[in-house]
Each structure stands twice: as C-alpha cells, then as structure tokens.
Amino acid sequence: MQVQGQFQMTSHSQVCTNNLLVLHFILQSIDGIGSPASLLFQYMAGFIRPGAITYEEIVFNMETQEQVINHEREITQRLSSNEARRVVIFITNHSDEVRGDLFVSPGSSATVMEVSESWPV
C-alpha cells in the first residue's frame, strides 16, 4: 500500500503545566489495577513536572446513609489540600444487566433519581 500526501508538523507546541489531579472513583468490588485512570496518570507524569500531578483513587460503597456521609467526608479530607487547577475524573462502575442502572454499592444499583431522593448530599 502506498500512502501519498504531505507530512506536516506544528511550528511549536505547548504543554499546560498547571497542577493536574486525576481523580478515580471506583466501586468497592472492582479491581482498579491497570485502569485507564492510572494509565493516564502514568502517561501524563512524563509531561508535567514532578509534584504537579496527583492521582487519587477513592473507593465507594454508598449502600447506607452512613456510608454516603463517610464518602463525602473522605472526599473533603483528601481533596481539601490539593492545589490542582485541572481535574480529570474517572468513575469505574458497572451497570445492572436488566435495568441498566449504575451500582451504588457492590450489590445494589439505583437510578439517578433514586439516589438523589434517598441520599441528598
């Protein structure tokens, strides 16, 4: 196969060096090893100065009201000192095979409406 055309490059490029946070919410029953979130963090670390990129993995299980409150508390504590100006958020979850709703705990799925009515956070 012969490819014809012109090869072009930009005259210059820029990399934004503002602090970056890769935030990965992951359902308690799922293993996050090799996830796209961790791969993105590893890849971007080659472009951003050391210490300016952070990876936070927050495991969630929001089956009870107490777990929802603990989840909110954990997020607040872990992120309050982060100075990132840019955030990339990943959510690793799975959906109910019959209804298609996302899981809020390893054994329970709910619609967005059910979550917002039951657990106002």
Side-chain angles (χ1 to χ4, degrees):
M1 177 171 85
Q2 184 178 12
V3 178
Q4 295 181 356
Q6 277 188 318
F7 178 74
Q8 297 179 355
M9 294 181 64
T10 60
S11 59
H12 69 280
S13 62
Q14 297 178 340
V15 175
C16 181
T17 60
N18 292 339
N19 289 0
L20 173 66
L21 169 61
V22 178
L23 183 56
H24 186 197
F25 293 101
I26 184 166
L27 183 64
Q28 184 176 13
S29 61
I30 297 177
D31 185 2
I33 295 175
S35 71
S38 64
L39 294 175
L40 173 71
F41 166 73
Q42 292 171 14
Y43 178 75
M44 292 302 294
F47 297 97
I48 299 175
R49 71 187 184 287
I53 184 168
T54 308
Y55 177 76
E56 289 283 343
E57 185 172 281
I58 298 176
V59 176
F60 70 91
N61 178 349
M62 297 185 287
E63 190 167 12
T64 66
Q65 181 65 28
E66 182 181 351
Q67 289 171 318
V68 171
I69 292 168
N70 291 339
H71 178 72
E72 181 182 16
R73 186 178 304 123
E74 180 183 3
I75 291 171
T76 302
Q77 288 174 349
R78 289 177 70 175
L79 303 180
S80 62
S81 63
N82 195 298
E83 298 176 3
R85 296 187 57 198
R86 296 175 296 138
V87 179
V88 178
I89 298 174
F90 286 83
I91 301 172
T92 300
N93 201 342
H94 57 90
S95 60
D96 184 279
E97 292 178 9
V98 176
R99 298 185 334 177
D101 299 325
L102 294 178
F103 278 71
V104 293
S105 70
S108 177
S109 64
T111 66
V112 172
M113 186 63 71
E114 289 169 334
V115 172
S116 63
E117 289 175 355
S118 301
W119 300 317
V121 178

